[in-house]
Amino acid sequence: MKDFISIADCSKEELREFLDVAVRLKRQYKATGRNDPLLAGKMLAMIFEKPSLRTRVSFAVAMQHLGGAAIMLRQEEVGLGQREAVKDVARVLSGMCDAVTIRTVDHDKVLELAKWSIIPVINALTELSHPCQAMADLMTIEEHFGRLEGKTVAFIGDGNNVARALATACGRFG
Amino acid sequence: MRFVLASPSAYKLSEEDFDRIMSQVPELDFMVTEDPADACARRM
């Protein structure tokens, strides 16, 4: 799996590995105040066409904790699909960065970016899906209530991108 | 897992979305309601 764009693209085993690694790294940081530099020298490009607080900060902080770095790219700077063709942005970022995360309304734009990128593309929210939020929710549920299998998740709110991603993730864990 | 979605009628998941999710994860026990209390009471 090169990219993380939709929960539905991932197997249960892949999602389980995400959670296990995240829990291990969180525990390591809480216990020692540092993480192993698993991403030393790696650069994450972060394209945010929509406002973000938690997602943006969590990506930037995670890169810092793991020994890498993140560069923030706003829509007015990149002009993804407007000033610059998506294909060209993908080529440039693939040449200088190691991964890219993108928040945009248009899900197809993320798919096109992934199509032309050599580096992994991570969906940081589209109108269709918010897979990173869903995984964070499942991690929190598991930390507080134990293994996911057999659990009931009640989502009270809009039937939106977060609900869709979380529902799909719950289905994957069976 | 069971997933219970409680949304006001104007904000509920579309049938198209529901069908797409169920085609992706047919094993999901997916329930929809408009009542948050009802959603919280539907524990497996």
Side-chain angles (χ1 to χ4, degrees):
Chain A
M1 182 181 68
K2 178 174 84 71
D3 309 303
F4 185 51
I5 296 176
S6 295
I7 294 287
D9 299 335
C10 304
S11 67
K12 177 181 178 180
E13 290 72 26
E14 289 169 331
L15 297 177
R16 166 50 56 198
E17 186 176 6
F18 287 174
L19 290 181
D20 290 346
V21 170
V23 167
R24 181 170 59 80
L25 292 175
K26 181 177 178 178
R27 286 177 180 163
Q28 181 187 52
Y29 189 82
K30 281 184 175 282
T32 68
R34 59 182 296 275
N35 283 126
D36 295 333
L38 302 176
L39 298 179
K42 303 295 185 184
M43 178 64 72
L44 174 70
M46 304 194 302
I47 301 173
F48 279 81
E49 296 184 351
K50 296 182 67 180
S52 173
L53 174 63
R54 293 160 193 81
T55 307
R56 175 181 164 183
V57 171
S58 63
F59 271 108
V61 170
M63 288 302 295
Q64 180 82 17
H65 284 183
L66 294 172
I71 182 170
M72 176 69 184
L73 301 164
R74 294 184 181 83
Q75 171 62 2
E76 59 266 31
E77 297 164 333
V78 180
L80 184 65
Q82 297 171 354
R83 191 174 66 82
E84 295 269 7
V86 174
K87 182 178 182 179
D88 291 338
V89 173
R91 285 176 168 171
V92 170
L93 294 181
S94 293
M96 301 187 196
C97 300
D98 299 285
V100 55
T101 187
I102 176 170
R103 169 169 289 194
T104 181
V105 173
D106 187 357
H107 193 79
D108 288 339
K109 191 185 283 187
V110 179
L111 294 176
E112 187 180 359
L113 185 67
K115 175 184 175 182
W116 297 111
S117 292
I118 297 169
I119 58 177
V121 173
I122 301 166
N123 178 1
L125 182 146
T126 67
E127 62 184 348
L128 188 65
S129 184
H130 196 358
C132 294
Q133 179 66 62
M135 294 307 294
D137 290 342
L138 290 184
M139 181 176 164
T140 300
I141 291 168
E142 197 161 70
E143 285 179 317
H144 287 271
F145 300 105
R147 297 287 287 190
L148 296 170
E149 289 78 2
K151 295 288 189 302
T152 298
V153 174
F155 185 102
I156 299 168
D158 299 2
N160 59 12
N161 45 11
V162 177
R164 285 189 287 265
L166 187 55
T168 308
C170 287
R172 273 289 181 267
F173 279 95
Chain B
M1 294 182 74
R2 172 175 289 170
F3 187 79
V4 189
L5 175 60
S7 305
S9 58
Y11 297 93
K12 65 183 182 183
L13 202 67
S14 70
E15 284 191 24
E16 179 185 358
D17 283 337
F18 185 87
D19 291 344
R20 183 173 58 249
I21 291 169
M22 292 312 296
S23 71
Q24 293 169 334
V25 283
E27 63 275 32
L28 176 64
D29 183 357
F30 194 174
M31 299 179 174
V32 176
T33 179
E34 294 182 14
D35 180 5
D38 179 40
C40 294
R42 297 212 188 184
R43 184 176 296 181
M44 289 178 84

